[in-house]
Amino acid sequence: HRYGMLFSSPPSIVALDIETISLENRSPVGIGVAHPDGYAFYFTIDDPTIPWHLIQNGSTKKIWHNASFDLARECLYAFEADIENIEDTAIMCRILCMDAALSSTEYTTGIPVDSMGDVLKEYGVTKTTRLPFDVLANKCARDALATMALYKKLSSQIDQGLYNVERRFLTKLIRMSYKGVKLNTTLMEEYDRLIEHDYNYFRNTCSNIGFNPHSPDQVAYMLTNNHMFLQRNRRTGKYITDENALKRLQHPLAALTLITRQLGKLHSTYIHPLVGKDRAYAHFGLDAATARTNSWDINIQNIPGEPDQGRIDEVPFKHNIRNAFLPDSGIITKYDLSQIELRVLAYLSQDKNMMAEFSKTDNNGRPSGDLHSRSMKAMHISSRTRAKNFNFGMIYGGDDETLLKYTGIEDKALIAAFRARWNSEYSDAARWIAQQRIQGVRD
């Protein structure tokens, strides 16, 4: 009877969840549909009785939790799922400073939800298709019910103006992921050849010296034999030779290892997978720590542009790889809001020094204030980019390790001095940030 009501008396809203084969293989296996009255159904993706009229029809509001995953090209794109009349409870969670993982929302909804990773681990499998049918069906239906409960709970608590901006932007990001970016195939092949050549050169250099740069044990052996101090992993007891550890060492072998690894990752992760393709497809989301857009799979945003002398993680490659991206319209539009986070902070905190800097104009009356350059000069940081990283680290609560990593400063005492100087230079902003963190803990 309840199933029949989905057709004879369709609800105005439904909550949905899909299960895919795995995180790597996102072909849909089944879909859960939750009714606002508190019951749900699970359908295998090939079930002819799936109520597609609720999923595809723009008149029904569809509630997702992390819609950019469920509506991705590999998932429901081929099934013509509606991407306009949707809501996303993951966005609501982030606006309310909640953990956005659905498995972390039981205290809000009262509905226990296990992460798929935990379920797979419990049954000793790596793919959802190897789970017992009733386990997968119950998980998917429960996730849909939790999503509906979360929507009912949070939709009245969020700032609707802020949420609506994020929600509308989500649809644009999904459309971007469907369309992809046009590629200059000839240029991409050339970059692939050049980067592979450089990578092989540095890797062979390491081999001639006598170590594999991708082997932590061999890198540790070479560095400790050259009197370099490395920390050990407390659990395994092995030396730590990751990117952060190597960047702190002033030794040619550490630099050689970093360069080789960076070129290898650039080639294997970002460039080679695009060779022979007409378009680059990425997935875009809104869950970056700084609330900016991020992308995954082929992370288009991480493909290098012009080399920046201020960046401490820049690989030794002189070409702007983004030149291989082509506009469908024939024109590339670049849009950037200058220091927008700091301008917002200046406005909210009414910090005197920040406001004074941003009120500056050049001889033509155009805004000329530059807080990053101001911080660079005030704290004697070696480049504007590193000063920029320091400023953002301060406003987003970066710890000493984060500031060390992204500024290239190796002395913790110097970082502490810079912190003190920043808090003094922008005392009103620092006070406002501290108040927001205290309020967040209380909430």
Side-chain angles (χ1 to χ4, degrees):
H1 171 71
R2 286 178 169 176
Y3 171 74
M5 292 290 287
L6 294 179
F7 292 86
S8 62
S9 181
S12 59
I13 64 170
V14 291
L16 302 164
D17 182 72
I18 70 165
E19 300 299 346
T20 62
I21 293 176
S22 66
L23 283 176
E24 292 73 31
N25 184 345
R26 296 175 193 162
S27 300
V29 174
I31 185 165
V33 181
H35 192 279
D37 287 347
Y39 55 87
F41 302 90
Y42 174 77
F43 304 88
T44 59
I45 201 64
D46 57 353
D47 189 332
T49 67
I50 294 177
W52 286 113
H53 64 289
L54 299 177
I55 302 167
Q56 298 168 337
N57 192 328
S59 63
T60 302
K61 188 183 296 292
K62 290 154 283 290
I63 319 299
W64 298 96
H65 191 83
N66 193 18
S68 57
F69 178 89
D70 299 85
L71 295 172
R73 285 181 60 85
E74 305 92 329
C75 299
L76 291 185
Y77 170 75
F79 297 90
E80 300 180 350
D82 176 33
I83 64 172
E84 295 288 348
N85 191 11
I86 62 174
E87 305 289 347
D88 194 328
T89 51
I91 296 177
M92 296 180 181
C93 287
R94 288 192 290 271
I95 288 176
L96 294 171
C97 300
M98 295 169 52
D99 188 335
L102 192 60
S103 57
S104 301
T105 61
E106 179 181 353
Y107 69 94
T108 301
T109 64
I111 300 175
V113 173
D114 295 322
S115 72
M116 180 54 78
D118 289 341
V119 174
L120 293 174
K121 185 177 181 180
E122 178 183 351
Y123 285 87
V125 298
T126 58
K127 296 180 179 179
T128 60
T129 49
R130 295 174 181 169
L131 288 171
F133 177 81
D134 61 328
V135 171
L136 183 61
N138 285 329
K139 158 117 179 92
C140 189
R142 186 181 294 271
D143 286 357
L145 285 171
T147 300
M148 178 64 79
L150 202 59
Y151 174 76
K152 291 181 176 180
K153 188 81 172 181
L154 301 185
S155 57
S156 62
Q157 300 179 24
I158 57 174
D159 182 311
Q160 285 295 330
L162 174 58
Y163 171 76
N164 288 337
V165 169
E166 298 261 325
R167 221 297 302 143
R168 290 196 301 270
F169 190 45
L170 174 63
T171 290
K172 295 184 184 298
L173 293 178
I174 293 173
R175 288 195 184 282
M176 285 169 53
S177 70
Y178 290 171
K179 186 174 183 179
V181 180
K182 189 177 179 181
L183 296 174
N184 182 327
T185 55
T186 301
L187 194 55
M188 189 58 72
E189 289 173 358
E190 179 67 7
Y191 287 153
D192 179 66
R193 185 187 64 79
L194 291 170
I195 296 172
E196 184 177 28
H197 175 271
D198 287 351
Y199 168 62
N200 288 335
Y201 171 81
F202 285 103
R203 185 184 60 179
N204 291 336
T205 301
C206 295
S207 180
N208 291 336
I209 293 173
F211 74 102
N212 177 359
H214 300 293
S215 167
D217 290 339
Q218 293 185 32
V219 171
Y221 176 82
M222 295 297 292
L223 289 170
T224 52
N225 271 8
N226 281 272
H227 312 293
M228 289 288 102
F229 174 76
L230 291 171
Q231 292 183 330
R232 291 181 183 268
N233 183 298
R234 293 181 181 178
R235 184 175 59 84
T236 65
K238 292 189 174 184
Y239 288 115
I240 300 173
T241 62
D242 61 13
E243 183 179 9
N244 292 339
L246 295 178
K247 282 181 177 178
R248 297 193 189 104
L249 300 179
Q250 296 294 316
H251 195 278
L253 289 178
L256 178 60
T257 301
L258 272 174
I259 290 171
T260 309
R261 289 179 178 177
Q262 289 170 345
L263 283 169
K265 183 174 180 62
L266 178 61
H267 179 256
S268 63
T269 302
Y270 299 110
I271 306 303
H272 193 66
L274 296 178
V275 173
K277 296 184 178 180
D278 295 327
R279 305 187 78 84
Y281 294 98
H283 300 89
F284 299 95
L286 296 167
D287 55 345
T290 59
R292 291 188 172 202
T293 306
N294 64 339
S295 63
W296 64 95
D297 285 338
I298 297 296
N299 192 338
I300 292 177
Q301 294 171 249
N302 272 4
I303 293 179
E306 292 288 351
D308 186 339
Q309 297 303 315
R311 286 184 56 173
I312 59 177
D313 59 344
E314 193 71 61
V315 297
F317 189 65
K318 300 178 181 179
H319 300 279
N320 185 343
I321 304 174
R322 293 184 185 178
N323 285 336
F325 295 163
L326 300 175
D328 288 297
S329 65
I331 300 174
I332 288 181
T333 301
K334 179 179 179 181
Y335 179 79
D336 186 27
L337 294 171
S338 174
Q339 304 178 58
I340 186 61
E341 294 98 333
L342 291 170
R343 292 180 187 275
V344 171
L345 176 60
Y347 172 79
L348 292 173
S349 67
Q350 290 294 297
D351 184 273
K352 295 182 290 294
N353 286 333
M354 285 188 176
M355 297 288 282
E357 182 66 28
F358 287 134
S359 66
K360 292 180 179 178
T361 57
D362 60 20
N363 294 333
N364 296 315
R366 293 174 299 193
S368 61
D370 188 341
L371 210 65
H372 299 316
S373 294
R374 177 188 172 100
S375 294
M376 174 185 170
K377 295 173 183 176
M379 285 168 272
H380 305 290
I381 298 177
S382 60
S383 79
R384 184 179 179 279
T385 298
R386 296 184 185 189
K388 179 179 179 180
N389 292 344
F390 185 85
N391 281 335
F392 286 137
M394 291 297 291
I395 68 175
Y396 285 114
D399 57 16
D400 286 352
E401 292 298 318
T402 300
L403 294 175
L404 286 166
K405 175 181 178 181
Y406 289 104
T407 62
I409 299 167
E410 300 173 2
D411 187 343
K412 283 191 176 182
L414 193 56
I415 286 289
F418 283 176
R419 277 187 182 277
R421 180 65 183 271
W422 197 95
N423 288 329
S424 174
E425 188 82 5
Y426 311 118
S427 57
D428 296 320
R431 191 178 304 111
W432 186 87
I433 291 170
Q435 290 172 348
Q436 298 308 304
R437 289 181 185 148
I438 292 171
Q439 186 62 46
V441 171
R442 288 174 180 167
D443 291 343

